[in-house]
Amino acid sequence: MASPQDFYILVVDDEDSVRSILYETLTSEGYNVTTAASGEEALAMMQDGDLPHILMTDIRMPEMSGVELATKVKAISDEVEVIIMTSHASLETATQAIRIGVYDYLNKPFEDLQEVKTIILRVIDKIYLRLENKQLFEQIKNKNEALTAISDEITAIYKFSQELITLLEPEDIVNAFLTYLSELVDGKMCLFLKFYPAKSALVVRNIKGRDLEKIYTEQQINDFKNIGMSLGPASEKDIVSIIARIARHPSLKTLVTKLFNTSRYMAYPLIIRDTPIGVTIVVDEMVLSEQDDKILRQYLNHLEISYDKSLLHKKVKDLAIKDGLTGLYNHRYFKERLELEIQTAKRIQHPLSLIFFDIDHFKQYNDINGHPMGDMLLRSVADILRKTSRATDIPCRYGGEEFVIILTHTSLEGAKIKAEKLRKLVEETEFPNQEKQPNGNLTISIGVSEIPSHADDLTHLVDVADEALYKVKESGRNNVMIALPYEGYIPSYVAKQISTGRGDTQVNYQKEQ
């Protein structure tokens, strides 16, 4: 086992204080640390081939940027692990960093140096894994007889790793993993149970097997994907421990027995960066050969690395389409998505509705309670939107205290019902310091528009909903108002009838002036 002193870390930052803090922090842990004040100085240090195991670099430096430095270093050796340090992250730099294989980001200034130590330990774990992989392949390479015997399996590992390179979605990655795993265990059934923190439960989401479709109907396979097991109430730390030892959990044995009429299985937890993701189950198998076990471990290692990258990809993707404060879709995504949904609605002649609302007297709330409380209020309203939205609804933050919901395949009647329920829910929700607001509570005002009744393009659909919202403001707030068609508008089609269910609502209609 290597010691910390065996790991060479190069810290590159143009700020003396940052270099000093990281040098003291990492050398105190026993690491071999060198610092450089620029990318040029760092590259000069590497001219003699003395490459670091870990490169920690600031993203913004006077001459050569951190991304440029990382690109040059990766061109020399892809085995150098790179950690980007920044207080100026952007979507463009984040995308560049992912493309060149950056391991992680560190935000400056460092609020918790323990986070730095933890990330370094994770990088070292990855380096150990790579070294173990090299040793494994070297052993296989040096044993001609063994190499001949397992050539098919080695080819499978290579093919699996190459296929994962093309996949970015977690669902696709897991399905590919289970397909290869099932072939390894002679076509036996392989499942992936995804962990859902909100329910503290593991639920079957993916299933593969050579004869799966011969043994079970499509409906039975779909039914499998809704079955799970509860882990019970537990802290985050305890949940990680439970899933790490999930193979012995009595509920898992009960689940496998119920589904497949056998208590023989193997379980492999997937935990990434101390976050439980799920559990892989191999059904009707208890022991693998030494060689198959090594290959399975390689599959699991590739799964973990690829799944981790997919989460980072999603994180970067969310930066582009999600509002940083509320986590709802942002204004840019709203316009792009609404344009797409309008085209779809017109093509299939379905209705599409828009709920446009803002928080009443929000400026007063901000002035009295301060901006941090105002931000908390915006997040709370966003949480209400998330919890009350259907899978087909698209809730967005329009800007400031304004929100909008795209309701696909939803008629004006259905939108009216939802808008009034939302208005009433916000009115009845207790928010901090709401007693200081006019009328002693916090409320919202809502305008509702629909395609094809009021408009058939993005600009007019938003404008008439905004005008209806303005009318609510003029007439006393805390109400719902239906928009009027814009002047001269003639509907281009009659929407097909969409069932909205039953329900009463009180809605004020805007009248012609």
Side-chain angles (χ1 to χ4, degrees):
M1 177 69 71
S3 67
Q5 183 63 29
D6 295 323
F7 291 94
Y8 171 29
I9 302 174
L10 177 56
V11 176
V12 186
D13 200 295
D14 58 334
E15 295 183 38
D16 292 340
S17 59
V18 173
R19 296 198 305 274
S20 177
I21 289 172
L22 289 175
Y23 181 84
E24 292 177 5
T25 300
L26 297 176
T27 54
S28 69
E29 296 296 309
Y31 298 113
N32 179 11
V33 183
T34 302
T35 64
S38 68
E40 293 80 3
E41 181 183 350
L43 283 176
M45 293 179 178
M46 301 181 208
Q47 290 302 317
D48 59 356
D50 188 17
L51 297 177
H53 294 96
I54 302 171
L55 171 67
M56 301 180 69
T57 177
D58 187 17
I59 200 167
R60 285 191 178 183
M61 293 183 288
E63 299 293 335
M64 183 186 299
S65 73
V67 172
E68 290 173 328
L69 173 60
T71 302
K72 291 179 181 295
V73 172
K74 283 288 187 179
I76 298 172
S77 173
D78 191 49
E79 293 189 355
V80 177
E81 299 295 342
V82 180
I83 297 172
I84 291 288
M85 303 179 292
T86 182
S87 56
H88 307 282
S90 70
L91 176 60
E92 181 180 359
T93 56
T95 302
Q96 288 178 330
I98 289 176
R99 285 175 179 168
I100 63 175
V102 167
Y103 178 79
D104 209 341
Y105 271 83
L106 270 175
N107 290 319
K108 295 194 304 182
F110 307 121
E111 295 183 0
D112 184 2
L113 290 174
Q114 184 59 44
E115 181 184 0
V116 176
K117 298 176 185 179
T118 300
I119 289 178
I120 293 296
L121 286 174
R122 287 174 181 156
V123 178
I124 288 175
D125 284 343
K126 182 179 178 182
I127 295 171
Y128 270 130
L129 173 60
R130 186 168 61 235
L131 292 174
E132 289 176 355
N133 288 349
K134 281 186 176 181
Q135 291 174 359
L136 174 61
F137 280 102
E138 282 300 317
Q139 291 172 6
I140 294 172
K141 182 179 178 181
N142 294 332
K143 295 180 180 179
N144 292 331
E145 292 183 4
L147 180 61
T148 302
I150 63 167
S151 59
D152 291 343
E153 287 84 349
I154 297 303
T155 300
I157 292 175
Y158 176 77
K159 287 183 177 179
F160 178 47
S161 64
Q162 292 303 300
E163 182 171 342
L164 289 183
I165 291 174
T166 67
L167 304 177
L168 287 175
E169 295 300 325
E171 183 83 2
D172 296 335
I173 291 169
V174 171
N175 279 331
F177 164 69
L178 293 181
T179 298
Y180 278 84
L181 177 58
S182 179
E183 286 302 313
L184 178 67
V185 294
D186 198 28
K188 289 185 171 64
M189 221 66 71
C190 298
L191 321 174
F192 184 76
L193 282 67
K194 186 175 179 180
F195 175 63
Y196 289 88
K199 298 181 179 180
S200 186
L202 288 165
V203 179
V204 177
R205 298 305 303 156
N206 310 77
I207 178 169
K208 295 290 181 180
R210 185 181 298 161
D211 299 322
L212 178 65
E213 295 178 354
K214 295 180 181 178
I215 301 173
Y216 303 103
T217 66
E218 183 178 352
Q219 183 59 50
Q220 286 175 316
I221 295 172
N222 289 331
D223 289 343
F224 282 155
K225 295 179 181 180
N226 293 314
I227 297 174
M229 53 176 279
S230 173
L231 300 179
S235 66
E236 290 184 12
K237 184 177 180 180
D238 289 340
I239 285 293
V240 172
S241 178
I242 291 170
I243 291 182
R245 302 193 305 269
I246 196 66
R248 303 174 184 176
H249 201 289
S251 295
L252 181 58
K253 183 176 181 179
T254 301
L255 178 66
V256 175
T257 303
K258 176 182 176 182
L259 293 180
F260 303 103
N261 196 31
T262 179
S263 59
R264 293 167 50 84
Y265 64 89
M266 297 184 300
Y268 301 92
L270 177 60
I271 299 173
I272 298 176
R273 300 176 188 253
D274 299 325
T275 300
I277 305 298
V279 177
T280 299
I281 304 296
V282 180
V283 179
D284 201 25
E285 190 72 71
M286 293 294 287
V287 181
L288 293 178
S289 69
E290 181 180 355
Q291 191 60 52
D292 283 349
D293 185 66
K294 288 181 179 179
I295 295 171
L296 171 57
R297 298 294 173 181
Q298 290 297 311
Y299 283 172
L300 290 167
N301 291 338
H302 284 297
L303 170 66
E304 180 176 346
I305 292 170
S306 296
Y307 203 103
D308 191 21
K309 282 188 176 181
S310 76
L311 296 178
L312 183 58
H313 175 264
K314 183 180 183 303
K315 186 177 180 181
V316 172
K317 185 178 177 181
D318 284 348
L319 285 174
I321 65 175
K322 293 289 184 71
D323 172 57
L325 177 64
T326 63
L328 297 178
Y329 293 114
N330 59 25
H331 183 89
R332 186 179 74 174
Y333 180 80
F334 160 70
K335 294 181 70 174
E336 293 174 354
R337 184 63 181 271
L338 180 58
E339 187 66 58
L340 178 65
E341 295 297 342
I342 288 174
Q343 293 174 11
T344 301
K346 291 165 72 173
R347 186 176 68 253
I348 63 177
Q349 297 192 333
H350 272 203
L352 178 146
S353 294
L354 208 63
I355 292 177
F356 197 99
F357 74 91
D358 73 2
I359 302 172
D360 295 331
H361 302 292
F362 180 74
K363 184 178 184 303
Q364 180 175 330
Y365 188 93
N366 246 352
D367 292 342
I368 293 175
N369 301 290
H371 288 285
M373 289 295 293
D375 289 348
M376 185 181 298
L377 176 61
L378 292 172
R379 285 193 290 267
S380 297
V381 172
D383 286 340
I384 291 175
L385 284 188
R386 268 189 293 270
K387 292 175 182 176
T388 57
S389 292
R390 305 167 300 178
T392 55
D393 296 342
I394 306 164
C396 311
R397 185 184 180 193
Y398 192 79
E401 71 272 26
E402 294 179 319
F403 297 84
V404 61
I405 311 172
I406 303 171
L407 304 175
T408 60
H409 311 290
T410 303
S411 66
L412 183 60
E413 183 64 27
K416 284 160 32 181
I417 293 171
K418 180 173 179 66
E420 177 58 23
K421 286 181 178 179
L422 177 62
R423 183 204 65 79
K424 188 174 181 181
L425 178 59
V426 172
E427 181 183 36
E428 294 176 349
T429 299
E430 292 189 9
F431 298 95
N433 299 333
Q434 67 175 15
E435 67 278 0
K436 299 177 184 178
Q437 292 293 95
N439 300 321
N441 67 343
L442 192 134
T443 58
I444 58 176
S445 297
I446 305 177
V448 180
S449 60
E450 183 224 45
I451 285 179
S453 298
H454 305 121
D456 61 3
D457 65 273
L458 184 150
T459 300
H460 286 107
L461 186 69
V462 174
D463 285 349
V464 296
D466 189 31
E467 289 171 8
L469 169 60
Y470 181 74
K471 291 294 183 182
V472 177
K473 294 289 189 183
E474 283 189 330
S475 62
R477 296 180 169 83
N478 188 25
N479 217 330
V480 176
M481 187 166 286
I482 305 304
L484 289 174
Y486 69 87
E487 185 176 354
Y489 171 66
I490 299 175
S492 58
Y493 67 94
V494 176
K496 297 176 182 178
Q497 293 296 314
I498 303 293
S499 176
T500 61
R502 296 181 179 179
D504 297 322
T505 182
Q506 293 182 349
V507 181
N508 291 338
Y509 283 84
Q510 183 180 340
K511 296 181 179 179
E512 295 281 3
Q513 300 298 314

